[in-house]
Amino acid sequence: MLPDVQLSKPEIELGLSRVGAKGIRKLVQVKREGKRPVILIATFEVFVDLPSTRKGVNLSRNFEAVDEVIENLTRNPVENIEELNERIVDELLKRHEYATKAEVLMEAEYILRKRTPASNQKTQEVVRIYSEAVKRRNGSKKLFVGAEVYGITVCPCAQELVRAYTAEQLEKAGFTAHQITEIMKIIPFASHNQRGRGFVKVEVREDFRPRIEEIIEVAKSGMSHEIYEILKRSDELEVVKEAHFNPRFVEDAVRLMAKKAVEKFSDAPDDAILYFRQINEESIHQHDVVAERYATMGELRNEIG
């Protein structure tokens, strides 16, 4: 019999929080009511903790767990990705009897079909969706689903500078105060723009299972405007015009996502955990800007009112 080196005692007896594998790619089918299943090419990360008395984990068991569970569950389309991940962590704990905790992270590209705002042309949008499952041997667990979307954001600060400059130039040109006020109401003022990345993660509970489409809607709500792969000239005008009528700081984006989540997930329990992140990729600076909020639904309800 060949020796199992992983079972031996390590030279340095120190426990490890996570040991596992990344980049495991699998095909996953997710049910849609009344429609064909969604096909996802998903990438998994799987981890267990490791006690100080054991030199290593048997990584092949992680691959076997993912393979066997996904193969069994995806013979037919699954109801949702979080249940799939929960089954995987259950299998990891079963196969790694020394572990006290198992984790699975999954991400995939999800294709949305939509139409452009002015010409109504068909187009597609790629959204990254996420699922996370963490389970301990004592039975406690956390399940999350999330989505990351792209959009356009417009800087309010620079826009106010342009607005003030425009008013000054109109006054010099002889326009009355009333005329200037009326002109300012109808003109979308220039500003610098960012490509925004909005991310929302929501805890899934037995009595609360948000749909991924709802999470995507919440993530989009923080943008000045959503973006499109294909735009006719009329669409381009509509996106740029409307975005500049809705300038937003990175902080505004996170607050708007939180407000939308409170409205959208009215059935969420107060202790359900939510996480929001907005990253704006600056156009006139070399840096990017980030805002985040991590809270329970009850905390958000109390603050937003």
Side-chain angles (χ1 to χ4, degrees), residues 10-36:
E11 294 177 13
I12 302 172
E13 295 189 30
L14 178 70
L16 302 179
S17 303
R18 300 167 87 207
V19 180
K22 301 175 65 172
I24 305 169
R25 294 169 65 86
K26 292 292 176 182
L27 197 68
V28 176
Q29 299 181 74
V30 182
K31 288 182 181 177
R32 287 190 302 172
E33 190 172 342
K35 300 179 181 179
R36 288 185 298 178

Side-chain angles (χ1 to χ4, degrees), residues 31-95:
K31 288 182 181 177
R32 287 190 302 172
E33 190 172 342
K35 300 179 181 179
R36 288 185 298 178
V38 174
I39 307 298
L40 302 175
I41 299 176
T43 302
F44 291 88
E45 300 179 9
V46 293
F47 303 99
V48 294
D49 62 341
L50 186 67
S52 61
T53 56
R54 187 181 173 104
K55 190 173 183 66
V57 304
N58 189 333
L59 285 180
S60 65
R61 294 184 188 178
N62 290 36
F63 293 107
E64 289 168 8
V66 173
D67 274 333
E68 288 186 20
V69 173
I70 293 180
E71 288 299 327
N72 289 335
L73 289 179
T74 57
R75 288 171 185 166
N76 296 307
V78 298
E79 290 287 344
N80 51 63
I81 54 178
E82 61 268 22
E83 287 184 4
L84 171 64
N85 283 352
E86 187 176 8
R87 288 287 301 277
I88 295 173
V89 292
D90 285 341
E91 192 66 24
L92 287 170
L93 286 174
K94 187 185 301 181
R95 291 168 183 257

Side-chain angles (χ1 to χ4, degrees), residues 216-260:
I216 291 170
E217 184 181 344
V218 170
K220 287 186 174 186
S221 66
M223 304 296 178
S224 295
H225 205 284
E226 61 180 303
I227 57 177
Y228 300 82
E229 182 63 22
I230 297 174
L231 291 172
K232 298 289 189 182
R233 285 186 295 174
S234 59
D235 299 312
E236 190 170 344
L237 170 62
E238 184 69 14
V239 170
V240 173
K241 173 174 68 71
E242 290 303 315
H244 283 77
F245 277 130
N246 292 287
R248 289 169 182 177
F249 288 123
V250 67
E251 299 93 336
D252 296 323
V254 169
R255 290 175 175 134
L256 285 162
M257 285 190 281
K259 182 175 184 293
K260 184 71 171 179

Side-chain angles (χ1 to χ4, degrees), residues 50-276:
L50 186 67
S52 61
T53 56
R54 187 181 173 104
K55 190 173 183 66
V57 304
N58 189 333
L59 285 180
S60 65
R61 294 184 188 178
N62 290 36
F63 293 107
E64 289 168 8
V66 173
D67 274 333
E68 288 186 20
V69 173
I70 293 180
E71 288 299 327
N72 289 335
L73 289 179
T74 57
R75 288 171 185 166
N76 296 307
V78 298
E79 290 287 344
N80 51 63
I81 54 178
E82 61 268 22
E83 287 184 4
L84 171 64
N85 283 352
E86 187 176 8
R87 288 287 301 277
I88 295 173
V89 292
D90 285 341
E91 192 66 24
L92 287 170
L93 286 174
K94 187 185 301 181
R95 291 168 183 257
H96 297 269
E97 66 286 346
Y98 52 85
T100 64
K101 181 183 71 171
E103 298 178 56
V104 175
L105 307 174
M106 190 213 86
E107 65 175 77
E109 290 186 339
Y110 180 55
I111 305 297
L112 292 177
R113 300 184 186 276
K114 60 182 185 178
R115 292 182 178 270
T116 56
S119 68
N120 205 36
Q121 181 169 331
K122 291 181 180 179
T123 185
Q124 296 182 359
E125 178 181 5
V126 178
V127 174
R128 297 204 71 81
I129 61 173
Y130 300 83
S131 179
E132 177 183 347
V134 181
K135 196 166 188 177
R136 296 184 180 275
R137 197 168 292 282
N138 63 12
S140 67
K141 64 180 179 180
K142 290 287 185 184
L143 302 177
F144 293 91
V145 288
E148 184 179 57
V149 303
Y150 282 87
I152 180 175
T153 58
V154 173
C155 177
C157 184
Q159 191 177 67
E160 280 302 311
L161 296 174
V162 173
R163 187 191 298 272
Y165 172 80
T166 302
E168 182 182 313
Q169 296 306 307
L170 288 172
E171 185 180 6
K172 287 181 180 179
F175 289 88
T176 67
H178 176 72
Q179 288 173 327
I180 292 172
T181 299
E182 293 303 306
I183 290 170
M184 303 280 274
K185 288 179 182 178
I186 61 174
I187 293 177
F189 287 95
S191 183
H192 73 92
N193 308 148
Q194 304 88 21
R195 176 178 284 189
R197 290 161 49 198
F199 177 75
V200 176
K201 184 170 73 171
V202 181
E203 183 182 2
V204 176
R205 310 283 284 273
E206 295 297 332
D207 55 348
F208 173 59
R209 292 191 175 275
R211 295 169 54 244
I212 195 66
E213 291 84 1
E214 294 174 321
I215 295 174
I216 291 170
E217 184 181 344
V218 170
K220 287 186 174 186
S221 66
M223 304 296 178
S224 295
H225 205 284
E226 61 180 303
I227 57 177
Y228 300 82
E229 182 63 22
I230 297 174
L231 291 172
K232 298 289 189 182
R233 285 186 295 174
S234 59
D235 299 312
E236 190 170 344
L237 170 62
E238 184 69 14
V239 170
V240 173
K241 173 174 68 71
E242 290 303 315
H244 283 77
F245 277 130
N246 292 287
R248 289 169 182 177
F249 288 123
V250 67
E251 299 93 336
D252 296 323
V254 169
R255 290 175 175 134
L256 285 162
M257 285 190 281
K259 182 175 184 293
K260 184 71 171 179
V262 170
E263 296 168 352
K264 176 65 68 175
F265 304 133
S266 59
D267 58 335
D270 276 343
D271 58 346
I273 298 168
L274 297 93
Y275 171 72
F276 309 92

